[in-house]
Amino acid sequence: MQAIRCILVVIDPKQPDDLALKRARLISSVSQSRLHLLVCDGKEDHGAHLDSLCEQLGNQGHTVSSQQAWHDNLHQTIIQVQQAEGCGLVIKQHVPDNALKRALLTPEDWKLLRYCPCPVLMVKTDGPWTGGNILAAVDVGNADLEHRTLHASIVNHGFDIAALAGGKLHVISAHPSPMLSTADPTFQLKETIEARYREACKQFQAEFDIPDAQLHIEEGPADALIPRVCSRIDAVVTVIGTVARSGFSGALMGNTAEVVLDALESDVLVLKPDDIIEHLEDLVSRR
């Protein structure tokens, strides 16, 4: 996160607490990133509000710019501006839809997580990051190059945030239940499955100095375990990644990040592998 030159901050005038802006100020103060404030609205003029925020941030030593825009819908507006400004991170306050609306329509925040070519930080709380626990969620059961690269990025970002906040980095990986019918004896016993997963984590444990007590290898579905461990360690940020399930069809992410977004009691940083980012950037450029 230290290399981010510009952060896109989505400003929602209907959310007066400005949680996204609070997080952006914290990250910018450490990374010296420029802040670009965006109000997504094609009707009402919010120029005075943006000017006031820019003045406040400028007085605090931040380099800041702003705009108001609208391109068809919320997530496309954010992505168009993110690409135009060259932003390496999008920060947005997450406001969950009600269950009925979510069942009928794909939430805009889910679409943003799917299609945004850069990392997205969804801010859910106003709690301080300082001294808090950071949870990095990886799936070390998938050992192909794409997943290994993504795991390294997730843990690296988690380490950066822990360093930024003076906190502790924890890592979680969910493993499957034992299957007596499998041909691989490793997956017939819980103890041998857990041992294999712990072995797969040793490299980044050594690289980022993560003690065993901060490595959580547990049995069960990831979308249930990640929120549970997040709550247990009282994490302030959860870092999660995603890869395309089958080629680039629709450039869709795995569902875990979407499913856990409302369940997590922390802010959520969502990452993608470089090849998916390149594909999404190409899709945006064709619009």
Side-chain angles (χ1 to χ4, degrees):
M1 297 189 75
Q2 305 291 336
I4 296 171
R5 294 189 299 273
C6 181
I7 298 172
L8 177 60
V9 190
V10 181
I11 302 294
D12 184 352
K14 297 177 183 177
Q15 302 294 331
D17 40 9
D18 278 334
L19 298 186
L21 192 55
K22 290 179 182 177
R23 294 294 185 246
R25 282 201 303 259
L26 169 67
I27 296 171
S28 174
S29 64
V30 175
S31 64
Q32 302 302 306
S33 305
R34 175 172 69 90
L35 298 177
H36 187 70
L37 313 185
L38 170 66
V39 171
C40 300
D41 191 341
K43 299 177 181 178
E44 185 179 348
D45 181 17
H46 299 280
H49 180 53
L50 286 171
D51 289 344
S52 175
L53 291 176
C54 287
E55 183 179 359
Q56 293 174 29
L57 291 164
N59 291 338
Q60 294 167 3
H62 297 281
T63 302
V64 59
S65 55
S66 68
Q67 77 178 97
Q68 178 174 337
W70 186 254
H71 302 285
D72 297 330
N73 53 52
L74 181 66
H75 77 277
Q76 286 187 19
T77 303
I78 294 170
I79 293 169
Q80 293 271 351
V81 175
Q82 178 266 326
Q83 287 289 284
E85 293 293 325
C87 299
L89 174 67
V90 170
I91 303 181
K92 181 185 180 297
Q93 182 172 343
H94 174 62
V95 180
D97 290 332
N98 64 59
L100 178 59
K101 184 177 179 181
R102 195 165 59 240
L104 297 173
L105 299 169
T106 304
E108 280 293 316
D109 281 358
W110 285 19
K111 292 178 184 176
L112 180 61
L113 295 184
R114 291 180 186 183
Y115 300 120
C116 186
C118 77
V120 178
L121 175 63
M122 287 290 183
V123 184
K124 298 189 61 180
T125 76
D126 61 356
W129 284 5
T130 306
N133 290 321
I134 314 302
L135 182 62
V138 296
D139 178 14
V140 294
N142 281 306
D144 57 80
L145 179 59
E146 188 177 37
H147 278 89
R148 290 202 310 272
T149 303
L150 181 59
H151 299 159
S153 178
I154 291 169
V155 178
N156 189 48
H157 276 76
F159 182 80
D160 282 350
I161 296 172
L164 179 154
K168 291 182 179 179
L169 174 61
H170 291 247
V171 175
I172 178 174
S173 187
H175 70 74
S177 301
M179 298 171 287
L180 295 178
S181 59
T182 183
D184 187 342
T186 300
F187 289 94
Q188 294 178 358
L189 295 173
K190 178 180 178 179
E191 292 76 14
T192 52
I193 298 174
E194 182 174 327
R196 172 174 286 192
Y197 272 62
R198 287 193 177 275
E199 181 66 29
C201 294
K202 280 190 174 180
Q203 181 177 346
F204 58 70
Q205 272 193 276
E207 183 177 353
F208 297 103
D209 193 23
I210 304 168
D212 287 343
Q214 289 164 219
L215 177 65
H216 309 272
I217 306 295
E218 302 191 16
E219 177 185 338
D223 55 7
L225 285 176
I226 294 171
R228 190 183 309 162
V229 172
C230 174
S231 178
R232 189 168 72 219
I233 68 171
D234 196 22
V236 294
V237 186
T238 300
V239 187
I240 191 168
T242 179
V243 296
R245 290 297 178 90
S246 56
F248 289 121
S249 177
L252 292 182
M253 61 190 294
N255 287 328
T256 303
E258 297 174 0
V259 171
V260 302
L261 182 59
D262 287 345
L264 286 166
E265 299 172 5
S266 71
D267 295 345
V268 185
L269 177 65
V270 179
L271 310 175
K272 299 182 184 72
D274 289 342
D275 50 1
I276 292 181
I277 289 173
E278 290 172 4
H279 178 68
L280 292 172
E281 287 177 337
D282 182 52
L283 289 178
V284 174
S285 70
R286 294 178 187 176
R287 288 189 176 277

